Amino acid sequence: MKYRAVGRLNIHLMVGLVLLSVVLTALSSVYLWNQYYVNKELEAPFDHLTSIVQRPFYRNCPKIYDDHDDGRSSNRAVQFTPLPSNFPPIFMISARPEEEVDPILQSWTNVTEGNNFTINIFNTYNMSRDYRNRKCRVSSWKSRLFGIYQAFFRQFLQDHPSLPYVVSIEDDVILMDPQGFRREVEWAVAQNIDFYSLKQNQKDTCLYTFGTVAQLFSRAMLLRLLNDVSNDTYCRLPIDMCIAQQGPWYVTQRPLVRHVGTRYNPK
């Protein structure tokens, strides 16, 4: 009996060691698979693990509008009141010639339509044309765009040392719903949210996944994207993926803006 018990124990021990070896081999394979993308300076499968794990806790979307309120005004020109002095400034990140940007600006600044937003232009033409990547082994559009946004963040923080929020938009974005845009910006600021996307997802979700079409940044978020981003992240991830990685964040559920253009590449 004693020998049988010892034999069974040895068998169980061997089975346990085999299972442990299989698990360790599988984990090692997964790690090497992820590391392959990292070494190639590409987005890796584990990059968004933290935000994915947190998503179930963000199942309920924020309630910004009343049930009977569609968020829009039947007469925007009459009901649109001047923006409060503490409304976050809006910057358009643009490398396009002025004549290409003017038609886009009209949707934001045409007072006869009730859209009295002031748009500041952050011109990136020379920056985009002369960009040189000294951080990464591979020069790519995503790292160039990341660098351009970081330059904008630095300039904003320097020029506006006391402003807690800023809105950035791309130079091919038309404003569709000025009342809703204003309301959601003011709601996000009141909630002390670090990041809020003002471009509706194609999917039926209120969680941010990608895109830099139109968004609200807190000052703390700008500092994080400047100071806490490693060279590895800068070289591998587009800026929107880096932002999503630090989430989850909310995104509007309404068509506040419309993305109408294509990427402009300075020569």
Side-chain angles (χ1 to χ4, degrees):
M1 293 292 293
K2 181 179 179 181
Y3 291 112
R4 288 182 181 178
V6 172
R8 284 197 296 269
L9 179 62
N10 289 337
I11 291 173
H12 291 159
L13 183 60
M14 290 178 61
V15 170
L17 290 174
V18 170
L19 291 175
L20 179 62
S21 176
V22 170
V23 170
L24 292 176
T25 301
L27 290 175
S28 177
S29 298
V30 171
Y31 170 79
L32 292 175
W33 173 55
N34 186 80
Q35 200 63 27
Y36 168 81
Y37 290 90
V38 173
N39 293 337
K40 294 286 186 179
E41 293 190 346
L42 299 172
E43 192 176 347
F46 286 176
D47 284 333
H48 303 289
L49 185 60
T50 302
S51 61
I52 290 172
V53 169
Q54 294 182 57
R55 284 188 180 185
F57 300 99
Y58 288 73
R59 192 169 298 170
N60 295 325
C61 296
K63 187 175 179 61
I64 302 175
Y65 303 93
D66 297 331
D67 293 335
H68 64 278
D69 182 7
D70 67 356
R72 303 184 184 189
S73 166
S74 58
N75 190 332
R76 295 185 298 178
V78 172
Q79 297 193 22
F80 194 93
T81 57
L83 294 172
S85 59
N86 62 346
F87 192 86
I90 304 175
F91 282 83
M92 177 178 286
I93 314 298
S94 176
R96 297 178 190 270
E98 184 176 336
E99 60 272 16
E100 291 190 28
V101 176
D102 282 345
I104 301 294
L105 286 175
Q106 288 181 15
S107 73
W108 295 87
T109 60
N110 189 346
V111 179
T112 61
E113 293 294 326
N115 309 348
N116 60 348
F117 293 101
T118 298
I119 306 299
N120 306 281
I121 305 294
F122 183 77
N123 191 284
T124 64
Y125 178 83
N126 291 331
M127 197 181 307
S128 299
R129 184 191 59 188
D130 301 333
Y131 175 78
R132 297 292 182 271
N133 189 337
R134 296 180 177 86
K135 295 183 179 180
C136 313
R137 296 192 308 273
V138 179
S139 181
S140 64
W141 168 257
K142 61 186 177 185
S143 60
R144 177 165 68 168
L145 186 61
F146 209 139
I148 287 171
Y149 268 91
Q150 285 189 328
F152 164 65
F153 297 158
R154 290 189 192 93
Q155 194 66 49
F156 174 80
L157 292 171
Q158 176 182 322
D159 293 346
H160 306 279
S162 62
L163 292 184
Y165 281 95
V166 64
V167 173
S168 75
I169 60 175
E170 293 182 353
D171 58 6
D172 50 4
V173 179
I174 288 178
L175 179 63
M176 302 297 293
D177 180 5
Q179 292 281 33
F181 187 90
R182 172 178 175 172
R183 179 180 292 191
E184 297 202 22
V185 168
E186 291 178 337
W187 172 85
V189 169
Q191 299 298 315
N192 295 317
I193 291 176
D194 281 333
F195 178 85
Y196 185 74
S197 176
L198 296 152
K199 170 65 170 65
Q200 186 180 32
N201 276 334
Q202 293 181 346
K203 299 179 181 179
D204 185 21
T205 177
C206 60
L207 291 179
Y208 174 76
T209 52
F210 66 92
T212 55
V213 174
Q215 50 278 316
L216 174 79
F217 292 98
S218 74
R219 193 175 191 85
M221 187 64 174
L222 299 187
L223 290 169
R224 195 183 311 169
L225 290 170
L226 281 172
N227 301 329
D228 298 343
V229 174
S230 66
N231 283 356
D232 170 71
T233 299
Y234 177 90
C235 295
R236 293 193 304 106
L237 299 183
I239 185 169
D240 54 345
M241 294 294 100
C242 178
I243 293 169
Q245 183 187 51
Q246 300 182 45
W249 309 110
Y250 288 123
V251 60
T252 181
Q253 299 172 72
R254 297 177 180 272
L256 305 179
V257 300
R258 183 158 59 94
H259 195 205
V260 297
T262 56
R263 179 179 296 168
Y264 180 76
N265 188 18
K267 301 299 183 181

mmCIF file with all atom_site columns, all heavy atoms in Angstrom, residues 70 72-81 111-115 178-179:
data_model
loop_
_atom_site.group_PDB
_atom_site.id
_atom_site.type_symbol
_atom_site.label_atom_id
_atom_site.label_alt_id
_atom_site.label_comp_id
_atom_site.label_asym_id
_atom_site.label_entity_id
_atom_site.label_seq_id
_atom_site.pdbx_PDB_ins_code
_atom_site.Cartn_x
_atom_site.Cartn_y
_atom_site.Cartn_z
_atom_site.occupancy
_atom_site.B_iso_or_equiv
_atom_site.pdbx_formal_charge
_atom_site.auth_seq_id
_atom_site.auth_comp_id
_atom_site.auth_asym_id
_atom_site.auth_atom_id
_atom_site.pdbx_PDB_model_num
ATOM 1   N N   . ASP A 1 70  ? -33.040 66.066 -27.757 1.00 0.00 ? 70  ASP A N   1
ATOM 2   C CA  . ASP A 1 70  ? -32.136 65.436 -28.727 1.00 0.00 ? 70  ASP A CA  1
ATOM 3   C C   . ASP A 1 70  ? -30.809 66.155 -28.816 1.00 0.00 ? 70  ASP A C   1
ATOM 4   O O   . ASP A 1 70  ? -29.953 65.828 -29.625 1.00 0.00 ? 70  ASP A O   1
ATOM 5   C CB  . ASP A 1 70  ? -32.782 65.353 -30.122 1.00 0.00 ? 70  ASP A CB  1
ATOM 6   C CG  . ASP A 1 70  ? -32.989 66.729 -30.756 1.00 0.00 ? 70  ASP A CG  1
ATOM 7   O OD1 . ASP A 1 70  ? -32.694 67.740 -30.083 1.00 0.00 ? 70  ASP A OD1 1
ATOM 8   O OD2 . ASP A 1 70  ? -33.428 66.777 -31.908 1.00 0.00 ? 70  ASP A OD2 1
ATOM 9   N N   . ARG A 1 72  ? -30.213 69.161 -29.818 1.00 0.00 ? 72  ARG A N   1
ATOM 10  C CA  . ARG A 1 72  ? -30.102 70.138 -30.888 1.00 0.00 ? 72  ARG A CA  1
ATOM 11  C C   . ARG A 1 72  ? -31.178 71.214 -30.751 1.00 0.00 ? 72  ARG A C   1
ATOM 12  O O   . ARG A 1 72  ? -32.217 71.008 -30.147 1.00 0.00 ? 72  ARG A O   1
ATOM 13  C CB  . ARG A 1 72  ? -30.251 69.454 -32.250 1.00 0.00 ? 72  ARG A CB  1
ATOM 14  C CG  . ARG A 1 72  ? -29.234 68.348 -32.445 1.00 0.00 ? 72  ARG A CG  1
ATOM 15  C CD  . ARG A 1 72  ? -29.339 67.762 -33.822 1.00 0.00 ? 72  ARG A CD  1
ATOM 16  N NE  . ARG A 1 72  ? -28.429 66.634 -33.954 1.00 0.00 ? 72  ARG A NE  1
ATOM 17  C CZ  . ARG A 1 72  ? -28.191 66.035 -35.101 1.00 0.00 ? 72  ARG A CZ  1
ATOM 18  N NH1 . ARG A 1 72  ? -28.774 66.425 -36.198 1.00 0.00 ? 72  ARG A NH1 1
ATOM 19  N NH2 . ARG A 1 72  ? -27.355 65.020 -35.148 1.00 0.00 ? 72  ARG A NH2 1
ATOM 20  N N   . SER A 1 73  ? -30.931 72.328 -31.335 1.00 0.00 ? 73  SER A N   1
ATOM 21  C CA  . SER A 1 73  ? -31.869 73.448 -31.306 1.00 0.00 ? 73  SER A CA  1
ATOM 22  C C   . SER A 1 73  ? -32.600 73.528 -32.631 1.00 0.00 ? 73  SER A C   1
ATOM 23  O O   . SER A 1 73  ? -32.026 73.321 -33.693 1.00 0.00 ? 73  SER A O   1
ATOM 24  C CB  . SER A 1 73  ? -31.111 74.753 -31.047 1.00 0.00 ? 73  SER A CB  1
ATOM 25  O OG  . SER A 1 73  ? -31.934 75.855 -31.333 1.00 0.00 ? 73  SER A OG  1
ATOM 26  N N   . SER A 1 74  ? -33.886 73.839 -32.571 1.00 0.00 ? 74  SER A N   1
ATOM 27  C CA  . SER A 1 74  ? -34.651 73.982 -33.801 1.00 0.00 ? 74  SER A CA  1
ATOM 28  C C   . SER A 1 74  ? -34.296 75.284 -34.514 1.00 0.00 ? 74  SER A C   1
ATOM 29  O O   . SER A 1 74  ? -34.510 75.434 -35.704 1.00 0.00 ? 74  SER A O   1
ATOM 30  C CB  . SER A 1 74  ? -36.151 73.956 -33.493 1.00 0.00 ? 74  SER A CB  1
ATOM 31  O OG  . SER A 1 74  ? -36.476 75.001 -32.582 1.00 0.00 ? 74  SER A OG  1
ATOM 32  N N   . ASN A 1 75  ? -33.748 76.246 -33.761 1.00 0.00 ? 75  ASN A N   1
ATOM 33  C CA  . ASN A 1 75  ? -33.319 77.501 -34.358 1.00 0.00 ? 75  ASN A CA  1
ATOM 34  C C   . ASN A 1 75  ? -31.977 77.878 -33.751 1.00 0.00 ? 75  ASN A C   1
ATOM 35  O O   . ASN A 1 75  ? -31.902 78.604 -32.784 1.00 0.00 ? 75  ASN A O   1
ATOM 36  C CB  . ASN A 1 75  ? -34.351 78.593 -34.090 1.00 0.00 ? 75  ASN A CB  1
ATOM 37  C CG  . ASN A 1 75  ? -34.059 79.855 -34.901 1.00 0.00 ? 75  ASN A CG  1
ATOM 38  O OD1 . ASN A 1 75  ? -32.911 80.128 -35.232 1.00 0.00 ? 75  ASN A OD1 1
ATOM 39  N ND2 . ASN A 1 75  ? -35.099 80.594 -35.223 1.00 0.00 ? 75  ASN A ND2 1
ATOM 40  N N   . ARG A 1 76  ? -30.919 77.375 -34.336 1.00 0.00 ? 76  ARG A N   1
ATOM 41  C CA  . ARG A 1 76  ? -29.598 77.526 -33.731 1.00 0.00 ? 76  ARG A CA  1
ATOM 42  C C   . ARG A 1 76  ? -29.169 78.989 -33.655 1.00 0.00 ? 76  ARG A C   1
ATOM 43  O O   . ARG A 1 76  ? -28.543 79.416 -32.702 1.00 0.00 ? 76  ARG A O   1
ATOM 44  C CB  . ARG A 1 76  ? -28.572 76.718 -34.528 1.00 0.00 ? 76  ARG A CB  1
ATOM 45  C CG  . ARG A 1 76  ? -28.818 75.230 -34.484 1.00 0.00 ? 76  ARG A CG  1
ATOM 46  C CD  . ARG A 1 76  ? -27.715 74.476 -35.192 1.00 0.00 ? 76  ARG A CD  1
ATOM 47  N NE  . ARG A 1 76  ? -27.651 74.841 -36.610 1.00 0.00 ? 76  ARG A NE  1
ATOM 48  C CZ  . ARG A 1 76  ? -26.746 74.350 -37.452 1.00 0.00 ? 76  ARG A CZ  1
ATOM 49  N NH1 . ARG A 1 76  ? -25.861 73.492 -37.013 1.00 0.00 ? 76  ARG A NH1 1
ATOM 50  N NH2 . ARG A 1 76  ? -26.737 74.709 -38.711 1.00 0.00 ? 76  ARG A NH2 1
ATOM 51  N N   . ALA A 1 77  ? -29.516 79.781 -34.673 1.00 0.00 ? 77  ALA A N   1
ATOM 52  C CA  . ALA A 1 77  ? -29.059 81.161 -34.706 1.00 0.00 ? 77  ALA A CA  1
ATOM 53  C C   . ALA A 1 77  ? -29.657 81.978 -33.564 1.00 0.00 ? 77  ALA A C   1
ATOM 54  O O   . ALA A 1 77  ? -29.029 82.895 -33.052 1.00 0.00 ? 77  ALA A O   1
ATOM 55  C CB  . ALA A 1 77  ? -29.434 81.793 -36.050 1.00 0.00 ? 77  ALA A CB  1
ATOM 56  N N   . VAL A 1 78  ? -30.886 81.641 -33.166 1.00 0.00 ? 78  VAL A N   1
ATOM 57  C CA  . VAL A 1 78  ? -31.538 82.385 -32.099 1.00 0.00 ? 78  VAL A CA  1
ATOM 58  C C   . VAL A 1 78  ? -31.082 81.914 -30.732 1.00 0.00 ? 78  VAL A C   1
ATOM 59  O O   . VAL A 1 78  ? -30.800 82.708 -29.840 1.00 0.00 ? 78  VAL A O   1
ATOM 60  C CB  . VAL A 1 78  ? -33.073 82.254 -32.218 1.00 0.00 ? 78  VAL A CB  1
ATOM 61  C CG1 . VAL A 1 78  ? -33.752 82.871 -31.004 1.00 0.00 ? 78  VAL A CG1 1
ATOM 62  C CG2 . VAL A 1 78  ? -33.563 82.905 -33.503 1.00 0.00 ? 78  VAL A CG2 1
ATOM 63  N N   . GLN A 1 79  ? -30.975 80.618 -30.553 1.00 0.00 ? 79  GLN A N   1
ATOM 64  C CA  . GLN A 1 79  ? -30.741 80.069 -29.235 1.00 0.00 ? 79  GLN A CA  1
ATOM 65  C C   . GLN A 1 79  ? -29.273 79.943 -28.857 1.00 0.00 ? 79  GLN A C   1
ATOM 66  O O   . GLN A 1 79  ? -28.958 79.684 -27.710 1.00 0.00 ? 79  GLN A O   1
ATOM 67  C CB  . GLN A 1 79  ? -31.418 78.695 -29.116 1.00 0.00 ? 79  GLN A CB  1
ATOM 68  C CG  . GLN A 1 79  ? -32.924 78.773 -29.247 1.00 0.00 ? 79  GLN A CG  1
ATOM 69  C CD  . GLN A 1 79  ? -33.590 77.485 -28.830 1.00 0.00 ? 79  GLN A CD  1
ATOM 70  O OE1 . GLN A 1 79  ? -33.017 76.692 -28.088 1.00 0.00 ? 79  GLN A OE1 1
ATOM 71  N NE2 . GLN A 1 79  ? -34.801 77.261 -29.305 1.00 0.00 ? 79  GLN A NE2 1
ATOM 72  N N   . PHE A 1 80  ? -28.373 80.098 -29.808 1.00 0.00 ? 80  PHE A N   1
ATOM 73  C CA  . PHE A 1 80  ? -26.956 79.952 -29.500 1.00 0.00 ? 80  PHE A CA  1
ATOM 74  C C   . PHE A 1 80  ? -26.443 81.219 -28.823 1.00 0.00 ? 80  PHE A C   1
ATOM 75  O O   . PHE A 1 80  ? -26.375 82.277 -29.438 1.00 0.00 ? 80  PHE A O   1
ATOM 76  C CB  . PHE A 1 80  ? -26.151 79.677 -30.774 1.00 0.00 ? 80  PHE A CB  1
ATOM 77  C CG  . PHE A 1 80  ? -24.768 79.186 -30.488 1.00 0.00 ? 80  PHE A CG  1
ATOM 78  C CD1 . PHE A 1 80  ? -24.498 77.839 -30.412 1.00 0.00 ? 80  PHE A CD1 1
ATOM 79  C CD2 . PHE A 1 80  ? -23.726 80.076 -30.288 1.00 0.00 ? 80  PHE A CD2 1
ATOM 80  C CE1 . PHE A 1 80  ? -23.212 77.378 -30.163 1.00 0.00 ? 80  PHE A CE1 1
ATOM 81  C CE2 . PHE A 1 80  ? -22.445 79.628 -30.033 1.00 0.00 ? 80  PHE A CE2 1
ATOM 82  C CZ  . PHE A 1 80  ? -22.193 78.266 -29.968 1.00 0.00 ? 80  PHE A CZ  1
ATOM 83  N N   . THR A 1 81  ? -26.122 81.126 -27.560 1.00 0.00 ? 81  THR A N   1
ATOM 84  C CA  . THR A 1 81  ? -25.651 82.274 -26.792 1.00 0.00 ? 81  THR A CA  1
ATOM 85  C C   . THR A 1 81  ? -24.128 82.318 -26.801 1.00 0.00 ? 81  THR A C   1
ATOM 86  O O   . THR A 1 81  ? -23.476 81.308 -27.047 1.00 0.00 ? 81  THR A O   1
ATOM 87  C CB  . THR A 1 81  ? -26.157 82.189 -25.348 1.00 0.00 ? 81  THR A CB  1
ATOM 88  O OG1 . THR A 1 81  ? -25.721 80.949 -24.783 1.00 0.00 ? 81  THR A OG1 1
ATOM 89  C CG2 . THR A 1 81  ? -27.672 82.256 -25.307 1.00 0.00 ? 81  THR A CG2 1
ATOM 90  N N   . VAL A 1 111 ? -21.333 83.094 -37.895 1.00 0.00 ? 111 VAL A N   1
ATOM 91  C CA  . VAL A 1 111 ? -22.240 83.546 -36.844 1.00 0.00 ? 111 VAL A CA  1
ATOM 92  C C   . VAL A 1 111 ? -23.697 83.471 -37.289 1.00 0.00 ? 111 VAL A C   1
ATOM 93  O O   . VAL A 1 111 ? -24.595 83.234 -36.483 1.00 0.00 ? 111 VAL A O   1
ATOM 94  C CB  . VAL A 1 111 ? -21.894 84.986 -36.407 1.00 0.00 ? 111 VAL A CB  1
ATOM 95  C CG1 . VAL A 1 111 ? -22.844 85.485 -35.329 1.00 0.00 ? 111 VAL A CG1 1
ATOM 96  C CG2 . VAL A 1 111 ? -20.461 85.034 -35.897 1.00 0.00 ? 111 VAL A CG2 1
ATOM 97  N N   . THR A 1 112 ? -23.971 83.641 -38.591 1.00 0.00 ? 112 THR A N   1
ATOM 98  C CA  . THR A 1 112 ? -25.358 83.598 -39.065 1.00 0.00 ? 112 THR A CA  1
ATOM 99  C C   . THR A 1 112 ? -25.984 82.228 -38.849 1.00 0.00 ? 112 THR A C   1
ATOM 100 O O   . THR A 1 112 ? -27.188 82.095 -38.799 1.00 0.00 ? 112 THR A O   1
ATOM 101 C CB  . THR A 1 112 ? -25.442 83.947 -40.567 1.00 0.00 ? 112 THR A CB  1
ATOM 102 O OG1 . THR A 1 112 ? -24.679 82.991 -41.317 1.00 0.00 ? 112 THR A OG1 1
ATOM 103 C CG2 . THR A 1 112 ? -24.903 85.347 -40.815 1.00 0.00 ? 112 THR A CG2 1
ATOM 104 N N   . GLU A 1 113 ? -25.171 81.208 -38.708 1.00 0.00 ? 113 GLU A N   1
ATOM 105 C CA  . GLU A 1 113 ? -25.667 79.874 -38.428 1.00 0.00 ? 113 GLU A CA  1
ATOM 106 C C   . GLU A 1 113 ? -25.616 79.548 -36.941 1.00 0.00 ? 113 GLU A C   1
ATOM 107 O O   . GLU A 1 113 ? -25.924 78.440 -36.528 1.00 0.00 ? 113 GLU A O   1
ATOM 108 C CB  . GLU A 1 113 ? -24.843 78.829 -39.199 1.00 0.00 ? 113 GLU A CB  1
ATOM 109 C CG  . GLU A 1 113 ? -25.013 78.891 -40.700 1.00 0.00 ? 113 GLU A CG  1
ATOM 110 C CD  . GLU A 1 113 ? -26.425 78.530 -41.121 1.00 0.00 ? 113 GLU A CD  1
ATOM 111 O OE1 . GLU A 1 113 ? -27.043 77.678 -40.468 1.00 0.00 ? 113 GLU A OE1 1
ATOM 112 O OE2 . GLU A 1 113 ? -26.907 79.115 -42.107 1.00 0.00 ? 113 GLU A OE2 1
ATOM 113 N N   . GLY A 1 114 ? -25.201 80.522 -36.143 1.00 0.00 ? 114 GLY A N   1
ATOM 114 C CA  . GLY A 1 114 ? -25.137 80.278 -34.701 1.00 0.00 ? 114 GLY A CA  1
ATOM 115 C C   . GLY A 1 114 ? -23.866 79.613 -34.250 1.00 0.00 ? 114 GLY A C   1
ATOM 116 O O   . GLY A 1 114 ? -23.763 79.138 -33.127 1.00 0.00 ? 114 GLY A O   1
ATOM 117 N N   . ASN A 1 115 ? -22.847 79.557 -35.104 1.00 0.00 ? 115 ASN A N   1
ATOM 118 C CA  . ASN A 1 115 ? -21.620 78.852 -34.758 1.00 0.00 ? 115 ASN A CA  1
ATOM 119 C C   . ASN A 1 115 ? -20.513 79.866 -34.460 1.00 0.00 ? 115 ASN A C   1
ATOM 120 O O   . ASN A 1 115 ? -19.645 80.108 -35.287 1.00 0.00 ? 115 ASN A O   1
ATOM 121 C CB  . ASN A 1 115 ? -21.162 77.945 -35.912 1.00 0.00 ? 115 ASN A CB  1
ATOM 122 C CG  . ASN A 1 115 ? -22.276 77.057 -36.412 1.00 0.00 ? 115 ASN A CG  1
ATOM 123 O OD1 . ASN A 1 115 ? -23.314 76.942 -35.783 1.00 0.00 ? 115 ASN A OD1 1
ATOM 124 N ND2 . ASN A 1 115 ? -22.062 76.424 -37.543 1.00 0.00 ? 115 ASN A ND2 1
ATOM 125 N N   . PRO A 1 178 ? -23.529 72.603 -33.319 1.00 0.00 ? 178 PRO A N   1
ATOM 126 C CA  . PRO A 1 178 ? -22.841 73.506 -32.389 1.00 0.00 ? 178 PRO A CA  1
ATOM 127 C C   . PRO A 1 178 ? -23.372 73.455 -30.971 1.00 0.00 ? 178 PRO A C   1
ATOM 128 O O   . PRO A 1 178 ? -22.605 73.526 -30.018 1.00 0.00 ? 178 PRO A O   1
ATOM 129 C CB  . PRO A 1 178 ? -23.045 74.887 -33.019 1.00 0.00 ? 178 PRO A CB  1
ATOM 130 C CG  . PRO A 1 178 ? -24.197 74.738 -33.944 1.00 0.00 ? 178 PRO A CG  1
ATOM 131 C CD  . PRO A 1 178 ? -24.152 73.334 -34.443 1.00 0.00 ? 178 PRO A CD  1
ATOM 132 N N   . GLN A 1 179 ? -24.701 73.318 -30.814 1.00 0.00 ? 179 GLN A N   1
ATOM 133 C CA  . GLN A 1 179 ? -25.271 73.255 -29.475 1.00 0.00 ? 179 GLN A CA  1
ATOM 134 C C   . GLN A 1 179 ? -24.806 72.006 -28.737 1.00 0.00 ? 179 GLN A C   1
ATOM 135 O O   . GLN A 1 179 ? -24.419 72.047 -27.570 1.00 0.00 ? 179 GLN A O   1
ATOM 136 C CB  . GLN A 1 179 ? -26.807 73.275 -29.549 1.00 0.00 ? 179 GLN A CB  1
ATOM 137 C CG  . GLN A 1 179 ? -27.390 74.605 -30.030 1.00 0.00 ? 179 GLN A CG  1
ATOM 138 C CD  . GLN A 1 179 ? -27.414 75.655 -28.924 1.00 0.00 ? 179 GLN A CD  1
ATOM 139 O OE1 . GLN A 1 179 ? -26.539 75.678 -28.063 1.00 0.00 ? 179 GLN A OE1 1
ATOM 140 N NE2 . GLN A 1 179 ? -28.405 76.528 -28.954 1.00 0.00 ? 179 GLN A NE2 1
#
